[in-house]
Amino acid sequence: MEKDRITRRVLVLGSLALLASGCSSLRSADSPQSARTRIDPRYRRQEVAYYGGEAPGTIVVNTGERYLYYVQGGGSAIRYGIGVGEEGRTLKGRAKIGRKAEWPSWTPTANMIRRKPHLAQYAGGVSGGLHNPLGAAALYLYQGGNDTMFRLHGTNEPWTIGQAVSSGCIRLTNDDIVDLYSRTPVGATVLII
């Protein structure tokens, strides 16, 4: 497998391996079919007309609309439904994809633990896998060469797509983050409005 390419096959095989190993989870994982049926149809991935001024390859995150657009050029974009940060907990402006990870590990920040003390049980980190809140992949947002601690990532809670529930990161279904991950190189521009 290429270093920067995650495939649906890897997603399925990794999921089966984790299930067979008896790994516990923070939340029960939905099957891909179940996850699709629990998402409002308007938040399903689709190609749409797009006439913004951003260059092809740019990711535009519209937190108010709850959509992420991957600009393709020629007047079109791939539109993904997203879950966004709770009120006042989101990054705004321009960023770059500073790194990418498949099945990333997750550690709650000190601020997250202060706001939600129950997260202290995960202070040592959570390894990648179906039980992990970052899902199948993550795109790490950087500004000025520094990690912002905000991510575009998958989720083990697909029913939250379309809602403002995260600590600031942008959530996509695991299928959608796999698709976006495959299209997006390190260094790509992200505009969050």
Side-chain angles (χ1 to χ4, degrees):
M1 178 169 61
E2 296 173 27
K3 183 174 173 88
D4 289 339
R5 186 161 184 252
I6 187 170
T7 63
R8 290 189 201 296
R9 184 176 191 194
V10 170
L11 178 64
V12 170
L13 292 175
S15 300
L16 291 174
L18 284 169
L19 289 172
S21 70
C23 291
S24 62
S25 65
L26 302 179
R27 302 252 188 224
S28 62
D30 286 332
S31 71
Q33 182 62 34
S34 172
R36 277 191 292 274
T37 60
R38 294 178 72 182
I39 296 170
D40 186 320
R42 69 181 166 197
Y43 295 118
R44 292 190 181 137
R45 178 178 62 224
Q46 60 183 294
E47 187 166 329
V48 297
Y50 182 83
Y51 300 106
E54 301 301 322
T58 300
I59 295 170
V60 178
V61 179
N62 188 318
T63 58
E65 289 183 353
R66 309 290 202 268
Y67 290 122
L68 179 152
Y69 298 87
Y70 179 82
V71 179
Q72 298 185 105
S76 73
I78 305 286
R79 186 181 76 189
Y80 306 84
I82 57 174
V84 300
E86 297 167 335
E87 187 64 37
R89 302 200 182 284
T90 190
L91 180 68
K92 296 287 187 182
R94 291 192 181 273
K96 295 277 186 189
I97 302 299
R99 80 181 186 95
K100 298 168 54 169
E102 298 174 17
W103 295 108
S105 60
W106 171 74
T107 303
T109 65
N111 284 338
M112 290 169 80
I113 292 171
R114 273 192 292 280
R115 284 191 332 274
K116 299 178 181 180
H118 73 278
L119 294 178
Q121 65 184 317
Y122 307 113
V126 178
S127 61
L130 292 176
H131 59 286
N132 186 303
L134 296 185
L139 303 172
Y140 295 70
L141 301 179
Y142 282 62
Q143 288 180 327
N146 298 310
D147 187 351
T148 64
M149 304 304 288
F150 289 92
R151 319 280 184 244
L152 307 177
H153 63 78
T155 183
N156 61 3
E157 300 175 328
W159 56 89
T160 64
I161 300 303
Q163 299 177 36
V165 294
S166 78
S167 290
C169 291
I170 303 301
R171 299 177 178 188
L172 294 87
T173 65
N174 280 331
D175 280 348
D176 285 353
I177 194 62
V178 167
D179 184 77
L180 183 64
Y181 185 101
S182 71
R183 297 173 189 277
T184 307
V186 169
T189 298
V190 179
L191 174 61
I192 304 165
I193 54 176

